[in-house]
């Protein structure tokens, strides 16, 4: 009869747990953002958050580099380990609200003092409930909820770290591709300028060109040599930055291919129509929301600390002076020790802790709103840039073609003796600058797609 009594007591304690929850009800703060920054997505469009990065990145070399980075990047590895740490902390908090059962066996042998002293032996086996707190005001439940929300926040931060790594590596890869194109342009320009300089020197030897013209041609050669050296050094820096992101030495097959690395077909276009609701799908926004949920639960735990706490210790088993009688009739033993504690005077520490939790929750609300506003600005900026890139590219392409024709005409006029070589130099510089700007804009268009993918919370599939 005593064992059912103990089990009944434990069951009643479990039912009493969580009778009251003093945490404020969670309400997601309404975003104070414009809703007209983008048209609604069509029914068939795919949201960026639903595009695996392998579908977004179409260049196989870049895919391989990203795959290696996801496996070896140290910052991402720390983010993954933080998730494991947060999961363990949650399991610890969740376990605190569960009954802790312990099985124990022991033996005591003692001799009493005196002339007629005797020796006695006591054997016992018992199953005990070790200091179980009846969570009447959900203190332990709220601590567990806070740990769970913190775990979810860390998990979302890991997703954000993955997305950022994919975007950052793609940006670094595109920068390397652009500098490769700039180096190739500088080398082609150097070869052209060297040929022009050699031709001018031969013309001077025949009396067809002045010494000034030769010196002017030499300045273009020296300038082109300087550009080649500069971009060779920049390529080394780009590769070092890319290697740090990948987390291991780069393989040749991961580097941008020569020639077509900055073409528009390198990355797919994003779908048209991006509703503002997508902002709340960003991992950093979801992480901020989970942090806010944890802050709400912390308020409940702090408030519960103002109320009485009931702890229960119980044990049931058998005891006997001999091993043979340990499980015999009449050997049963049990104990139950409830304990209630009520804070009376603590110098106001408990109430101050409630005020601290409420202040922290208000701070977390402001941080959530700031995260959402930052996300809005990032998307709005990326869309604003994208809206003008097409026109800029078209204008720059036209300017480059016009500069090439102007150079050809100036060279023809110079050969006919109708102008000085200074006009040819101006046309050469204008064409080189136009070609450089065209490379920059082509890469900027690709980088803008990567930026949009990141700021819209592009999902990373392992």
């Amino acid at each position: 009869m005593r064992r059912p009594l103990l089990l009944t007591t434990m069951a009643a304690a479990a039912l009493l747990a969580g009778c009251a929850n003093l945490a404020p009800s969670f309400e997601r703060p309404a975003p104070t953002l414009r809703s007209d920054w983008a048209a609604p997505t069509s029914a068939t469009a795919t949201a960026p958050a639903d595009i695996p990065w392998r579908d977004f990145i179409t260049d196989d070399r870049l895919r391989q580099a990203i795959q290696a980075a996801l496996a070896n990047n140290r910052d991402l590895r720390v983010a993954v380990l933080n998730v494991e740490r947060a999961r363990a902390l949650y399991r610890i908090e969740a376990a605190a609200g569960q009954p802790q059962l312990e099985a124990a066996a022991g033996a005591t042998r003692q001799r009493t003092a005196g002339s007629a002293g005797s020796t006695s032996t006591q054997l016992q086996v018992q199953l005990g409930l070790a200091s179980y707190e009846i969570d009447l005001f959900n203190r332990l439940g709220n601590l567990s909820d806070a740990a769970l929300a913190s775990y979810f926040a860390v998990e979302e931060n890991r997703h954000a770290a993955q997305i950022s790594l994919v975007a950052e590596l793609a940006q670094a890869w595109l920068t390397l591709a652009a500098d490769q194109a700039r180096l190739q342009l500088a080398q082609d320009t150097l070869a052209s300028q060297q040929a022009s300089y050699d031709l001018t020197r031969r013309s001077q030897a025949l009396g067809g060109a002045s010494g000034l013209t030769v010196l002017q041609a030499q300045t273009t050669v020296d300038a082109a040599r300087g550009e080649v050296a500069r971009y060779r050094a920049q390529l080394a820096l780009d590769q070092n930055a890319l290697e740090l992101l990948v987390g291991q030495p780069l393989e040749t097959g991961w580097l941008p291919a020569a020639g077509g690395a900055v073409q528009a077909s390198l990355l797919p276009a994003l779908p048209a129509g991006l509703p503002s609701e997508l902002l709340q799908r960003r991992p950093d926004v979801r992480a901020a929301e989970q942090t806010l949920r944890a802050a709400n639960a912390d308020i409940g735990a702090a408030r519960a600390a103002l109320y009485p706490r009931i702890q229960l210790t119980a044990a049931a088993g058998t005891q006997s002076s001999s091993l043979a009688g340990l499980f015999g009739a009449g050997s049963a033993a049990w104990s139950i020790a409830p304990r209630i504690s009520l804070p009376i005077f603590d110098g106001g520490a408990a109430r101050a802790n409630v005020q601290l939790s409420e202040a922290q929750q208000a701070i977390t609300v402001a941080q959530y709103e700031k995260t959402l506003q930052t996300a809005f600005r990032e998307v709005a900026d990326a869309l604003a840039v994208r809206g003008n890139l097409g026109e800029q590219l078209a204008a720059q392409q036209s300017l480059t073609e016009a500069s090439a024709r102007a150079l050809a005409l100036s060279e023809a006029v110079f050969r006919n003796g109708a102008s000085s070589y200074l006009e040819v130099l101006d046309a050469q510089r204008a064409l080189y600058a136009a070609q450089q700007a065209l490379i920059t804009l082509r890469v900027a268009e690709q980088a803008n797609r990567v930026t949009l993918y990141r700021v819209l919370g592009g999902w990373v599939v392992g």
Side-chain angles (χ1 to χ4, degrees):
M1 294 293 293
R2 292 171 179 173
R3 291 181 182 177
L5 176 62
L6 177 61
L7 295 176
T8 301
T9 303
M10 293 169 58
L15 289 174
L16 285 172
C19 288
N21 191 348
L22 303 180
S25 58
F26 177 79
E27 294 182 4
R28 182 186 293 113
T32 56
L33 305 173
R34 290 188 292 110
S35 59
D36 59 346
W37 59 275
T41 305
S42 64
T44 58
T46 303
D50 298 325
I51 301 177
W53 69 264
R54 288 184 182 84
D55 294 340
F56 181 67
I57 304 297
T58 59
D59 188 284
D60 188 60
R61 292 170 177 260
L62 180 53
R63 281 179 180 173
Q64 293 182 57
I66 291 175
Q67 188 64 52
L70 292 176
N72 299 293
N73 182 269
R74 299 310 188 269
D75 290 335
L76 185 59
R77 187 174 298 177
V78 170
V80 172
L81 292 174
N82 281 334
V83 172
E84 297 298 323
R85 177 178 178 274
R87 183 185 294 117
L89 289 173
Y90 163 65
R91 292 175 63 186
I92 292 172
E93 289 292 349
Q98 302 299 320
Q100 308 294 314
L101 298 178
E102 296 180 353
T108 303
R109 185 173 176 82
Q110 65 180 8
R111 177 181 173 81
T112 59
S115 58
S118 61
T119 301
S120 64
T121 301
Q122 188 73 27
L123 304 176
Q124 62 181 6
V125 175
Q126 66 180 14
L127 178 66
L129 179 66
S131 190
Y132 171 62
E133 180 175 340
I134 301 175
D135 201 14
L136 291 175
F137 301 99
N138 207 40
R139 185 184 72 88
L140 297 178
N142 278 314
L143 289 176
S144 177
D145 290 344
L148 180 61
S150 297
Y151 160 63
F152 287 150
V154 174
E155 178 69 23
E156 294 295 349
N157 286 332
R158 180 183 69 85
H159 292 156
Q162 287 179 315
I163 294 170
S164 295
L165 176 60
V166 171
E168 189 176 358
L169 194 143
Q171 297 277 15
W173 194 88
L174 288 169
T175 299
L176 176 60
D179 285 337
Q180 282 182 343
R182 293 187 181 104
L183 175 59
Q184 185 62 54
L185 174 61
Q187 290 173 334
D188 293 343
T189 301
L190 174 59
S192 175
Q193 300 295 356
Q194 185 66 51
S196 178
Y197 172 68
D198 294 339
L199 181 61
T200 304
R201 288 188 61 188
R202 289 195 294 270
S203 178
Q204 182 193 28
L206 297 175
S210 65
L212 176 60
T213 301
V214 173
L215 290 175
Q216 289 173 332
Q218 183 180 350
T219 61
T220 63
V221 173
D222 293 337
R225 287 174 57 197
E227 287 286 278
V228 170
R230 181 166 72 91
Y231 284 118
R232 281 177 177 164
Q234 187 60 49
L235 277 181
L237 297 179
D238 294 342
Q239 291 188 17
N240 291 340
L242 194 60
E243 187 171 293
L244 178 62
L245 290 172
V246 172
Q248 69 177 73
L250 296 175
E251 296 184 11
T252 305
W254 300 346
L255 300 178
V262 293
Q263 296 300 314
S265 59
L266 204 155
L267 299 173
L270 292 171
L274 300 169
S276 59
E277 288 79 6
L278 284 177
L279 291 180
Q280 295 183 350
R281 301 179 62 177
R282 281 178 40 145
D284 59 336
V285 174
R286 290 199 299 265
E289 180 180 330
Q290 292 298 334
T291 302
L292 182 55
R293 291 180 183 273
N296 268 31
D298 285 337
I299 291 176
R303 290 174 177 174
L306 299 173
Y307 293 86
R309 295 170 60 181
I310 299 176
Q311 292 181 322
L312 180 65
T313 301
T318 63
Q319 63 182 18
S320 174
S321 60
S322 65
L323 184 60
L326 188 60
F327 297 99
S331 64
W334 63 271
S335 67
I336 182 169
R339 178 176 178 270
I340 184 170
S341 61
L342 175 65
I344 296 177
F345 178 75
D346 60 0
R351 294 190 179 279
N353 193 41
V354 173
Q355 294 173 351
L356 174 63
S357 300
E358 291 173 344
Q360 183 60 48
Q361 190 260 5
I363 292 172
T364 308
V365 169
Q367 290 173 336
Y368 173 83
E369 294 172 341
K370 178 62 178 297
T371 300
L372 202 59
Q373 291 172 351
T374 301
F376 168 78
R377 178 186 173 178
E378 289 178 348
V379 175
D381 287 350
L383 288 174
V385 171
R386 184 156 193 84
N388 295 293
L389 275 174
E391 184 177 351
Q392 291 181 58
L393 273 170
Q396 191 63 42
Q397 182 66 47
S398 177
L399 175 61
T400 303
E401 294 171 356
S403 298
R405 291 194 299 270
L407 175 59
L409 288 174
S410 64
E411 289 176 337
V413 171
F414 170 73
R415 286 193 297 267
N416 291 330
S419 67
S420 67
Y421 194 70
L422 184 59
E423 294 182 4
V424 176
L425 292 178
D426 290 340
Q428 288 174 343
R429 295 190 186 99
L431 176 59
Y432 184 74
Q435 290 172 324
Q436 288 273 28
L438 183 59
I439 292 173
T440 299
L441 277 175
R442 284 173 175 170
V443 173
E445 192 272 339
Q446 295 296 304
N448 177 258
R449 297 183 184 187
V450 175
T451 299
L452 275 173
Y453 185 72
R454 177 184 62 81
V455 300
L456 288 169
W459 196 254
V460 175
V461 179

